[in-house]
Amino acid sequence: MELEDWIKNILSYPERTVKVHIPVKMDNGEVQVFVGYRCQYNAALGPYKGGIRYSPEVDEDEVVALAQWMTFKCALVDIPFGGAKGGVRVDPKKLSKSELERLTRRFTYEIVPVIGPYIDIPAPDVYTNDDVMAWIMDTYSIIKGYNEPAVVTGKPTYIGGSKGRKEATGRGVAISTREVLKLYGEDIKGKTVAIQGFGNVAVFAALILQDWGARIVAVSDSKGGIYNPDGLDVRDLIKHVYGSEEVNGKKKSVVSYAGGEQISNEDLLLLDVDILIPCAIENQITEENADKIKARYIVEGANGPTTFEADEILFKKGIIVVPDILANSGGVIVSYLEWVQDRMGYYWEEDEVNEKLEKKLINAIKEVFHTLKEYEKKGKKIDWRTAAYILSIERIAKVYRKRGLFP
Ligand code: NAD
């Protein structure tokens, strides 16, 4: 893309990474000190935006990489946010709810100087949820002395969250699938789909695609997968796994569902389907299995499910890979809409939120496709991921060229 060296240099480093030590009084009276980070990668387009995760694997490298991803994701879907990510190195499964609350409140206190609705707006990520977002919002508001819902997104609707946020990432995955197929002259109706995972992203992607006439033949979780060539009844499966129609608090594995035969996660990836949608964890499609994949389209619901080496193999095979920063951007788009509603103090109905999400996402999909075609015209055949990065980086570069560099 012939990016100027000075912009490339700037985008190669995070602007700021804050490291904090968080003392927490545990239920047994002991004090444990946890380490936490907030990486603010780039704010050329607007306030930093990105999730906070609680996991034993959190370290500086991880938050920096994830914050860079957020920078490109926000730019790609044209929302006025930069990129950030935060995390605390902790195994949240070993903490009681009150310990988690004290950890969250103290972590918030430590990062208050660098967050805020015009500075940096956190959101949920791995092992953080709307409880954690409510505690962050409450702690920040108490410190400031006024109610500030716009400091975090992913809150419950009754304290300033947006309708449609919970379904947003899965909805975005479904829209990306339908629209990319449309660009290649295909209809989603009747297509067979295998989905790895059955968590937040996978469930809503499966439900919506099924409602649009696709046949969901396989899903999975960490215990394994379930396969039915005639199509799974996604609503019935949700009731089995979550104990009700509410996608909240998993009760059982999909493996124990009677409406299909058991398969492994590895077999699921290799099924003879039209569309494969990884919605679980990273590094699932690798140089070991990429050559054996039969799906014609891969839509990345998860972050980073395809390795760099696998990408090249898939490209040579002519498989269309819709990259994560595009396919799973529905979540951050609705987070943006949540922030807008909080700042206005006026809240939209779900239809309106969904309509705005769809418009933003379809625009981005069309622009990535246009970029791809423009490069083809120049004799350079590129994949969807490269086109998405070009479009996103170009958007940030354009801002740098105009704003210049301080001082
Ligand atoms: P989740 O925890 O709700 O669901 C994850 C699913 O993956 C579960 O069904 C789990 O059983 C399964 N899983 C875990 N380990 C597995 C393994 N080894 N093999 C197969 N399946 C396994 O999480 P989620 O929110 O649905 O997120 C899924 C992916 O989507 C992650 O990569 C996340 O970063 C990404 N993502 C999520 C959002 C969002 O808004 N939730 C937004 C953007 C990207």
Side-chain angles (χ1 to χ4, degrees):
M1 62 182 293
E2 288 159 21
L3 184 67
E4 299 90 319
D5 277 345
W6 69 277
I7 298 174
K8 189 171 154 189
N9 276 339
I10 291 173
L11 290 179
S12 300
Y13 302 96
E15 288 175 5
R16 177 196 286 152
T17 307
V18 177
K19 179 179 181 183
V20 296
H21 289 96
I22 312 151
V24 180
K25 196 179 275 175
M26 309 305 280
D27 292 344
N28 64 6
E30 272 175 25
V31 173
Q32 269 189 41
V33 181
F34 298 90
V35 61
Y37 303 90
R38 184 70 182 168
C39 172
Q40 301 179 327
Y41 200 90
N42 187 279
L45 299 191
Y48 304 100
K49 183 88 189 87
I52 288 179
R53 62 171 60 176
Y54 288 170
S55 133
E57 271 99 55
V58 164
D59 61 19
E60 186 172 339
D61 276 353
E62 188 187 72
V63 292
V64 170
L66 291 163
Q68 188 193 53
W69 239 329
M70 283 306 297
T71 305
F72 296 143
K73 195 182 289 188
C74 293
L76 177 65
V77 293
D78 201 17
I79 55 181
F81 283 144
K85 203 81 179 195
V88 177
R89 198 174 171 86
V90 57
D91 184 352
K93 288 180 187 159
K94 293 195 178 137
L95 265 57
S96 69
K97 193 166 178 187
S98 61
E99 287 168 341
L100 267 183
E101 178 173 351
R102 289 194 292 280
L103 171 79
T104 303
R105 289 187 182 277
R106 185 63 190 242
F107 178 51
T108 306
Y109 171 80
E110 302 293 347
I111 62 170
V112 156
V114 296
I115 63 169
Y118 296 97
I119 306 169
D120 181 356
I121 305 120
D125 194 67
V126 177
Y127 294 133
T128 54
N129 54 15
D130 66 357
D131 285 336
V132 175
M133 297 308 112
W135 294 326
I136 296 176
M137 180 267 190
D138 186 69
T139 306
Y140 184 89
S141 297
I142 285 173
I143 292 170
K144 293 290 171 185
Y146 54 85
N147 238 22
E148 188 45 274
V151 67
V152 278
T153 58
K155 302 178 294 296
T157 44
Y158 48 91
I159 61 164
S162 177
K163 290 190 175 141
R165 173 63 185 87
K166 192 171 173 183
E167 299 82 2
T169 308
R171 179 175 295 279
V173 170
I175 294 170
S176 306
T177 310
R178 185 192 65 196
E179 293 301 311
V180 169
L181 257 70
K182 223 188 258 176
L183 288 168
Y184 290 99
E186 297 200 51
D187 192 344
I188 188 67
K189 236 186 205 151
K191 294 290 181 294
T192 50
V193 183
I195 302 183
Q196 190 188 40
F198 205 60
N200 175 269
V201 180
V203 163
F204 292 110
L207 257 184
I208 295 167
L209 285 169
Q210 178 166 280
D211 286 347
W212 290 344
R215 186 149 40 105
I216 314 299
V217 297
V219 300
S220 68
D221 56 34
S222 55
K223 303 249 160 51
I226 187 104
Y227 171 60
N228 182 340
D230 298 326
L232 295 158
D233 179 341
V234 178
R235 281 191 172 78
D236 195 49
L237 187 55
I238 291 172
K239 273 193 225 150
H240 176 79
V241 172
Y242 291 91
S244 77
E245 283 169 17
E246 272 291 299
V247 181
N248 221 342
K250 206 175 132 184
K251 305 271 188 310
K252 286 183 195 152
S253 163
V254 297
V255 179
S256 59
Y257 184 64
E261 63 183 89
Q262 286 187 19
I263 52 164
S264 68
N265 264 294
E266 181 62 22
D267 291 342
L268 181 144
L269 299 172
L270 308 181
L271 285 173
D272 189 4
V273 287
D274 298 305
I275 305 155
L276 173 64
I277 312 188
C279 289
I281 51 170
E282 60 278 0
N283 299 333
Q284 293 303 292
I285 302 171
T286 65
E287 57 189 328
E288 261 92 65
N289 60 14
D291 208 31
K292 292 181 262 172
I293 284 182
K294 298 181 197 76
R296 293 180 295 120
Y297 295 90
I298 297 176
V299 183
E300 296 183 335
N303 280 317
T306 313
T307 65
F308 182 73
E309 295 78 18
D311 240 352
E312 288 187 359
I313 299 170
L314 298 171
F315 186 55
K316 282 197 192 118
K317 284 180 64 157
I319 297 175
I320 307 287
V321 181
V322 188
D324 43 14
I325 59 167
L326 182 62
N328 70 31
S329 63
V332 78
I333 294 175
V334 175
S335 269
Y336 163 60
L337 298 175
E338 178 174 338
W339 176 77
V340 170
Q341 293 171 81
D342 286 334
R343 290 181 58 208
M344 287 193 298
Y346 177 73
Y347 293 86
W348 297 314
E349 290 306 320
E350 189 166 343
D351 284 357
E352 206 166 341
V353 172
N354 289 345
E355 205 178 291
K356 287 181 163 66
L357 158 65
E358 182 152 345
K359 206 167 168 188
K360 271 258 167 248
L361 188 53
I362 291 180
N363 268 344
I365 292 165
K366 286 188 175 152
E367 282 173 312
V368 173
F369 190 64
H370 177 75
T371 306
L372 196 132
K373 290 289 162 198
E374 286 298 299
Y375 272 70
E376 267 180 18
K377 273 191 217 153
K378 289 190 247 168
K380 291 184 194 165
K381 205 166 164 0
I382 55 171
D383 60 7
W384 274 72
R385 193 183 316 278
T386 309
Y389 276 106
I390 290 171
L391 179 64
S392 146
I393 293 171
E394 182 51 38
R395 228 168 233 153
I396 301 169
K398 191 174 168 191
V399 170
Y400 272 111
R401 285 181 207 121
K402 197 73 181 168
R403 283 177 63 165
L405 192 61
F406 172 83

